[in-house]
Amino acid sequence: MEVRSVTNCLQEFIDQCENDAFKEQCEQEFKDFREQLEQSTQQTLENERKILQERRQALDDEIASMQKLPARQNDVVSVNCGGKKLMVKRSTLCTVEGSVLASMFSGRWEDSLEKDVKGNVFFDFNPDCFERIVNHIRLRLIEDPAKASPAPEIPSHLRTEFHALVQYLGLEAIFAAKPSSSLRFQQNGFFALTEDGTTVTNDGGARESAQAISFVEGMPATDVMEFSVRVLKIAGGPVGVGFMSEKSTANPYHPGYDKYTARAWFYHSGHIKLDGRDSHTGTSYAVGDVVKCSFVASTRLLSFSVNDSCVYSKNVNCGHGKIFKYPCVKLSDYGDSVKLV
């Protein structure tokens, strides 16, 4: 029932009272009630007016801040991260739209960020992790669109903290593993391939030997060869990833694999074999791990990583005056399987 209807009913009740003393008492109480009701209504309206004013002021402040933003995109922001000072353009920090990091420096919330005694924005993060994140964003801004920048190599002792910071800053999208859509395994008749060619499995096809090699196709003709695979299954024998200098059909199971072929294999046991010379990295890989292989022709720098942690990086002298040209995988037992990522 509305307030006006209630008061009207009360007034009608008072008017019908025959006892003068009782009627006078009711009139006084009704008068007090109406005064209290008016005061309460006025207070409620005043509170709502103040709330609306505060919201309007906040909106005006935000509009004013956003209007200043375009002129500030090229500002250089001074960030004190765990005691290490970094100078970064605001536009760099705002590159990943929708991320927490971009929101921090969008102009809306920056005044609320913690500052050090010199007025620098202060982050209580591991500076090694944060600097790697910023450098990766910088690299993405100048990269060739046709060749996306790889995620940075993260030492094993920083990996957990690094990925936690990436998640906190809302930057998972630029650090997530991206499929190498242009790469696929070559169909050689000895392995089973998925329809898209990104997964190869030693299915024990019609051949005498279980062990065979599958080359990776679609690698751009550049100075740097690089590919990554996720290990799906290791049935028993060694699974290897690496490079070869030749690609012939002389041996159907080991194409080009003769004494004149330069080759480099990184086996799941952690062993690296370079033209038959055996060394151990101290790091093996297992099912679920992502193994990255890289070779720079101009410097002959050969690198292997496991889950973004570099385990081997050396300038190598390829045997027989050859140079690595062909990325490949070796699956030694029935059931072995890997996927390009």
Side-chain angles (χ1 to χ4, degrees), residues 144-157:
D144 180 352
K147 183 175 176 57
S149 301
E153 301 287 354
I154 309 301
S156 58
H157 70 281

Side-chain angles (χ1 to χ4, degrees), residues 13-318:
F13 171 75
I14 294 172
D15 292 341
Q16 294 175 3
C17 289
E18 297 179 356
N19 186 308
D20 293 339
F22 179 67
K23 182 176 181 180
E24 183 178 352
Q25 180 183 353
C26 289
E27 287 178 341
Q28 183 59 46
E29 291 180 356
F30 182 51
K31 180 181 179 181
D32 293 342
F33 168 74
R34 294 189 62 175
E35 290 177 353
Q36 292 176 3
L37 181 61
E38 289 177 0
Q39 291 177 358
S40 175
T41 302
Q42 290 177 357
Q43 185 62 46
T44 299
L45 292 174
E46 181 65 21
N47 291 340
E48 290 181 353
R49 185 182 66 82
K50 287 182 179 180
I51 292 174
L52 289 174
Q53 286 180 336
E54 291 173 356
R55 290 179 177 176
R56 177 59 184 268
Q57 185 61 48
L59 179 60
D60 290 343
D61 292 344
E62 185 170 341
I63 292 174
S65 178
M66 297 301 289
Q67 287 174 340
K68 296 178 182 177
L69 187 58
R72 300 171 60 193
Q73 282 296 298
N74 290 324
D75 287 358
V76 176
V77 179
S78 180
V79 178
N80 177 351
C81 185
K84 185 172 185 177
K85 187 176 179 180
L86 299 174
M87 306 296 290
V88 191
K89 288 177 66 173
R90 183 185 304 278
S91 57
T92 300
L93 297 169
C94 295
T95 296
V96 184
E97 296 182 5
S99 67
V100 174
L101 182 64
S103 297
M104 287 177 173
F105 294 94
S106 66
R108 299 177 64 184
W109 317 113
E110 192 170 342
D111 290 341
S112 64
L113 296 178
E114 188 175 356
K115 307 290 196 304
D116 65 12
V117 294
K118 294 184 178 180
N120 304 309
V121 174
F122 179 77
F123 286 151
D124 193 18
F125 304 146
N126 185 314
D128 292 337
C129 294
F130 186 70
E131 188 171 21
R132 281 178 166 85
I133 289 173
V134 171
N135 286 340
H136 183 61
I137 296 175
R138 286 168 170 159
L139 183 59
R140 287 174 60 90
L141 293 173
I142 61 173
E143 70 182 3
D144 180 352
K147 183 175 176 57
S149 301
E153 301 287 354
I154 309 301
S156 58
H157 70 281
L158 290 177
R159 194 178 305 151
T160 299
E161 192 171 3
F162 176 83
H163 290 298
L165 183 55
V166 166
Q167 184 176 18
Y168 174 77
L169 295 175
L171 300 173
E172 298 97 321
I174 66 170
F175 288 95
K178 298 179 180 179
S180 304
S181 56
S182 62
L183 302 183
R184 56 180 292 123
F185 288 109
Q186 182 183 37
Q187 178 61 261
N188 60 9
F190 303 114
F191 289 150
L193 300 182
T194 53
E195 185 175 350
D196 61 3
T198 61
T199 300
V200 60
T201 302
N202 185 334
D203 66 344
R207 61 181 187 274
E208 300 173 2
S209 171
Q211 180 173 286
I213 292 171
S214 181
F215 289 98
V216 177
E217 296 182 313
M219 188 74 66
T222 62
D223 185 49
V224 180
M225 285 192 300
E226 184 176 274
F227 74 103
S228 299
V229 298
R230 183 181 299 279
V231 182
L232 301 181
K233 186 174 181 180
I234 300 176
V239 170
V241 295
F243 300 95
M244 296 178 65
S245 66
E246 306 297 331
K247 184 181 178 183
S248 72
T249 56
N251 184 329
Y253 309 122
H254 300 82
Y257 209 138
D258 56 39
K259 64 180 181 180
Y260 300 111
T261 300
R263 51 196 181 273
W265 292 112
F266 177 25
Y267 292 106
H268 79 275
S269 60
H271 288 272
I272 289 179
K273 282 197 173 183
L274 182 61
D275 290 332
R277 299 189 302 274
D278 192 6
S279 63
H280 196 278
T281 68
T283 301
S284 58
Y285 56 88
V287 172
D289 288 337
V290 174
V291 184
K292 179 180 176 181
C293 311
S294 174
F295 180 70
V296 183
S298 58
T299 60
R300 304 202 175 191
L301 178 65
L302 176 67
S303 303
F304 294 112
S305 301
V306 178
N307 298 328
D308 292 329
S309 180
C310 184
V311 298
Y312 181 93
S313 184
K314 289 185 180 180
N315 297 94
V316 298
N317 181 19
C318 306

